[in-house]
Short mmCIF file of all heavy atoms in Angstrom, two decimals:
data_model
loop_
_atom_site.label_atom_id
_atom_site.label_comp_id
_atom_site.label_asym_id
_atom_site.label_seq_id
_atom_site.Cartn_x
_atom_site.Cartn_y
_atom_site.Cartn_z
N LEU A 991 16.89 1.81 14.71
CA LEU A 991 17.15 0.35 14.30
C LEU A 991 17.82 -0.32 15.45
O LEU A 991 18.69 -0.03 15.78
CB LEU A 991 17.86 0.38 13.03
CG LEU A 991 17.33 1.17 11.81
CD1 LEU A 991 18.40 1.08 10.76
CD2 LEU A 991 16.02 0.60 11.32
N VAL A 992 17.25 -1.63 15.76
CA VAL A 992 17.76 -2.41 16.79
C VAL A 992 18.01 -3.89 16.28
O VAL A 992 17.04 -4.50 15.79
CB VAL A 992 16.86 -2.37 18.03
CG1 VAL A 992 17.33 -3.40 19.16
CG2 VAL A 992 16.56 -1.05 18.60
N GLU A 993 19.22 -4.21 16.28
CA GLU A 993 19.72 -5.69 15.93
C GLU A 993 19.51 -6.62 17.06
O GLU A 993 19.66 -6.36 18.32
CB GLU A 993 21.08 -5.67 15.56
CG GLU A 993 21.42 -4.43 14.45
CD GLU A 993 21.83 -3.23 15.03
OE1 GLU A 993 21.75 -2.94 16.32
OE2 GLU A 993 22.74 -2.46 14.44
N SER A 994 19.10 -7.87 16.63
CA SER A 994 18.96 -9.02 17.61
C SER A 994 19.26 -10.27 16.75
O SER A 994 19.27 -10.28 15.62
CB SER A 994 17.68 -8.98 18.31
OG SER A 994 16.56 -9.15 17.38
N GLY A 995 19.48 -11.38 17.46
CA GLY A 995 19.41 -12.67 16.89
C GLY A 995 20.73 -13.33 16.84
O GLY A 995 20.85 -14.49 16.43
N GLY A 996 21.83 -12.65 17.22
CA GLY A 996 23.09 -13.22 17.15
C GLY A 996 23.32 -14.29 18.27
O GLY A 996 22.49 -14.57 19.09
N GLY A 997 24.35 -15.07 18.10
CA GLY A 997 24.69 -16.11 19.05
C GLY A 997 25.87 -16.91 18.62
O GLY A 997 26.70 -16.49 17.80
N LEU A 998 26.14 -18.02 19.38
CA LEU A 998 27.22 -18.85 19.11
C LEU A 998 26.77 -20.14 18.41
O LEU A 998 25.96 -20.75 18.89
CB LEU A 998 27.91 -19.22 20.45
CG LEU A 998 29.14 -20.31 20.37
CD1 LEU A 998 30.23 -19.79 19.57
CD2 LEU A 998 29.38 -20.64 21.74
N VAL A 999 27.37 -20.41 17.24
CA VAL A 999 27.06 -21.58 16.46
C VAL A 999 28.26 -22.23 15.88
O VAL A 999 29.36 -21.69 15.83
CB VAL A 999 26.07 -21.24 15.29
CG1 VAL A 999 24.71 -20.70 15.79
CG2 VAL A 999 26.76 -20.20 14.28
N GLN A 1000 28.25 -23.50 15.60
CA GLN A 1000 29.20 -24.28 15.00
C GLN A 1000 29.21 -23.97 13.39
O GLN A 1000 28.25 -23.54 12.91
CB GLN A 1000 29.01 -25.82 15.24
CG GLN A 1000 29.16 -26.18 16.63
CD GLN A 1000 29.13 -27.69 16.76
OE1 GLN A 1000 29.17 -28.45 15.87
NE2 GLN A 1000 29.25 -28.24 18.04
N ALA A 1001 30.35 -24.25 12.88
CA ALA A 1001 30.66 -24.02 11.43
C ALA A 1001 29.50 -24.91 10.69
O ALA A 1001 29.32 -26.06 11.10
CB ALA A 1001 31.95 -24.28 11.00
N GLY A 1002 28.90 -24.30 9.79
CA GLY A 1002 27.85 -25.12 8.96
C GLY A 1002 26.39 -24.88 9.56
O GLY A 1002 25.42 -25.13 8.92
N GLY A 1003 26.32 -24.14 10.62
CA GLY A 1003 25.04 -23.79 11.26
C GLY A 1003 24.41 -22.56 10.71
O GLY A 1003 25.01 -21.94 9.76
N SER A 1004 23.17 -22.21 11.22
CA SER A 1004 22.37 -21.04 10.77
C SER A 1004 22.10 -20.17 11.83
O SER A 1004 21.85 -20.57 12.96
CB SER A 1004 21.24 -21.65 10.00
OG SER A 1004 21.60 -22.40 8.86
N LEU A 1005 21.81 -18.96 11.42
CA LEU A 1005 21.16 -17.98 12.46
C LEU A 1005 20.38 -17.04 11.60
O LEU A 1005 20.62 -16.76 10.42
CB LEU A 1005 22.35 -17.13 13.13
CG LEU A 1005 22.95 -17.81 14.28
CD1 LEU A 1005 24.12 -16.82 14.72
CD2 LEU A 1005 22.12 -18.02 15.47
N ARG A 1006 19.32 -16.51 12.15
CA ARG A 1006 18.51 -15.38 11.57
C ARG A 1006 18.59 -14.23 12.38
O ARG A 1006 18.23 -14.09 13.56
CB ARG A 1006 17.11 -15.68 11.37
CG ARG A 1006 16.37 -14.75 10.52
CD ARG A 1006 14.96 -15.10 10.16
NE ARG A 1006 14.14 -14.98 11.40
CZ ARG A 1006 12.73 -14.81 11.34
NH1 ARG A 1006 12.15 -14.84 10.15
NH2 ARG A 1006 12.09 -14.65 12.47
N LEU A 1007 19.20 -13.10 11.95
CA LEU A 1007 19.27 -11.83 12.57
C LEU A 1007 18.16 -10.98 12.14
O LEU A 1007 17.59 -11.03 11.04
CB LEU A 1007 20.58 -10.95 12.18
CG LEU A 1007 21.91 -11.77 12.38
CD1 LEU A 1007 23.02 -10.87 11.89
CD2 LEU A 1007 22.07 -12.35 13.67
N SER A 1008 17.57 -10.06 13.22
CA SER A 1008 16.59 -9.15 12.98
C SER A 1008 16.99 -7.75 13.15
O SER A 1008 17.81 -7.54 14.08
CB SER A 1008 15.49 -9.44 13.97
OG SER A 1008 14.82 -10.76 13.57
N CYS A 1009 16.40 -6.92 12.29
CA CYS A 1009 16.69 -5.39 12.43
C CYS A 1009 15.23 -4.83 12.53
O CYS A 1009 14.57 -4.66 11.44
CB CYS A 1009 17.37 -4.95 11.20
SG CYS A 1009 17.69 -3.20 11.10
N ALA A 1010 14.94 -4.45 13.66
CA ALA A 1010 13.60 -3.89 14.02
C ALA A 1010 13.63 -2.41 14.04
O ALA A 1010 14.49 -1.79 14.74
CB ALA A 1010 13.05 -4.39 15.31
N ALA A 1011 12.76 -1.69 13.23
CA ALA A 1011 12.73 -0.35 13.15
C ALA A 1011 11.64 0.22 13.95
O ALA A 1011 10.60 -0.31 14.20
CB ALA A 1011 12.45 0.10 11.65
N SER A 1012 11.92 1.41 14.68
CA SER A 1012 10.88 1.97 15.50
C SER A 1012 9.89 2.84 14.81
O SER A 1012 8.90 3.17 15.32
CB SER A 1012 11.64 3.00 16.55
OG SER A 1012 12.33 4.03 15.80
N GLY A 1013 10.10 2.89 13.51
CA GLY A 1013 9.11 3.60 12.58
C GLY A 1013 9.17 2.82 11.33
O GLY A 1013 9.69 1.60 11.16
N SER A 1014 8.69 3.38 10.22
CA SER A 1014 8.73 2.76 8.90
C SER A 1014 10.03 2.59 8.27
O SER A 1014 10.78 3.48 8.29
CB SER A 1014 7.84 3.77 7.89
OG SER A 1014 7.81 3.17 6.58
N ILE A 1015 10.22 1.32 7.88
CA ILE A 1015 11.61 1.13 7.17
C ILE A 1015 11.51 1.80 5.71
O ILE A 1015 12.65 2.02 5.18
CB ILE A 1015 11.85 -0.33 6.95
CG1 ILE A 1015 10.57 -0.99 6.13
CG2 ILE A 1015 11.95 -1.11 8.28
CD1 ILE A 1015 10.82 -2.56 5.80
N PHE A 1016 10.45 2.27 5.33
CA PHE A 1016 10.38 3.02 3.98
C PHE A 1016 10.74 4.41 4.12
O PHE A 1016 10.68 5.17 3.19
CB PHE A 1016 8.97 2.88 3.28
CG PHE A 1016 8.66 1.41 2.99
CD1 PHE A 1016 7.88 0.57 3.92
CD2 PHE A 1016 9.15 0.94 1.86
CE1 PHE A 1016 7.53 -0.63 3.62
CE2 PHE A 1016 8.92 -0.43 1.65
CZ PHE A 1016 8.04 -1.19 2.50
N SER A 1017 11.10 4.88 5.39
CA SER A 1017 11.83 6.21 5.46
C SER A 1017 13.14 6.21 4.93
O SER A 1017 13.79 7.25 4.83
CB SER A 1017 11.79 6.66 6.97
OG SER A 1017 12.45 5.81 7.79
N PHE A 1018 13.68 5.00 4.74
CA PHE A 1018 14.97 4.91 4.21
C PHE A 1018 14.97 4.51 2.61
O PHE A 1018 14.00 3.79 2.29
CB PHE A 1018 15.89 3.95 4.87
CG PHE A 1018 16.03 4.16 6.40
CD1 PHE A 1018 15.32 3.59 7.31
CD2 PHE A 1018 17.00 5.13 6.80
CE1 PHE A 1018 15.53 3.78 8.64
CE2 PHE A 1018 17.19 5.45 8.18
CZ PHE A 1018 16.50 4.81 9.04
N LYS A 1019 15.97 4.86 1.92
CA LYS A 1019 16.07 4.36 0.48
C LYS A 1019 16.37 2.85 0.59
O LYS A 1019 16.00 2.10 -0.45
CB LYS A 1019 17.11 5.10 -0.25
CG LYS A 1019 16.66 6.55 -0.58
CD LYS A 1019 17.82 7.29 -1.24
CE LYS A 1019 18.17 6.69 -2.68
NZ LYS A 1019 19.12 7.45 -3.34
N ALA A 1020 17.08 2.39 1.60
CA ALA A 1020 17.58 1.01 1.67
C ALA A 1020 17.92 0.76 3.07
O ALA A 1020 18.15 1.72 3.88
CB ALA A 1020 18.72 0.74 0.73
N ILE A 1021 17.90 -0.56 3.45
CA ILE A 1021 18.49 -0.97 4.69
C ILE A 1021 19.51 -1.88 4.43
O ILE A 1021 19.47 -2.84 3.64
CB ILE A 1021 17.30 -1.73 5.60
CG1 ILE A 1021 16.23 -0.82 5.94
CG2 ILE A 1021 17.94 -2.20 6.87
CD1 ILE A 1021 16.50 0.31 6.78
N ILE A 1022 20.71 -1.79 5.14
CA ILE A 1022 21.87 -2.41 4.89
C ILE A 1022 22.45 -3.17 6.10
O ILE A 1022 22.36 -2.59 7.27
CB ILE A 1022 22.97 -1.55 4.26
CG1 ILE A 1022 22.53 -0.83 2.97
CG2 ILE A 1022 24.38 -2.31 3.98
CD1 ILE A 1022 23.37 0.19 2.58
N TRP A 1023 22.76 -4.43 6.06
CA TRP A 1023 23.56 -5.16 7.09
C TRP A 1023 24.96 -4.86 6.91
O TRP A 1023 25.50 -5.14 5.63
CB TRP A 1023 23.09 -6.65 7.10
CG TRP A 1023 21.90 -6.99 7.67
CD1 TRP A 1023 20.71 -7.20 7.16
CD2 TRP A 1023 21.68 -7.10 9.13
NE1 TRP A 1023 19.76 -7.45 7.97
CE2 TRP A 1023 20.24 -7.41 9.23
CE3 TRP A 1023 22.38 -7.01 10.22
CZ2 TRP A 1023 19.53 -7.63 10.47
CZ3 TRP A 1023 21.70 -7.18 11.49
CH2 TRP A 1023 20.43 -7.51 11.54
#
């Protein structure tokens, strides 16, 4: 699993983080941030 999408933002702003899997995410019972 590889995380990306972080950065510097002001309070009140938004970001979308991504968790990309090298295989099926259904190999896990769950994915947790």
Side-chain angles (χ1 to χ4, degrees):
L991 303 172
V992 178
E993 306 92 342
S994 63
L998 173 63
V999 297
Q1000 293 186 6
S1004 298
L1005 285 172
R1006 188 178 74 160
L1007 307 184
S1008 297
C1009 175
S1012 63
S1014 175
I1015 59 175
F1016 297 101
S1017 63
F1018 301 103
K1019 293 176 63 177
I1021 301 292
I1022 302 169
W1023 281 99

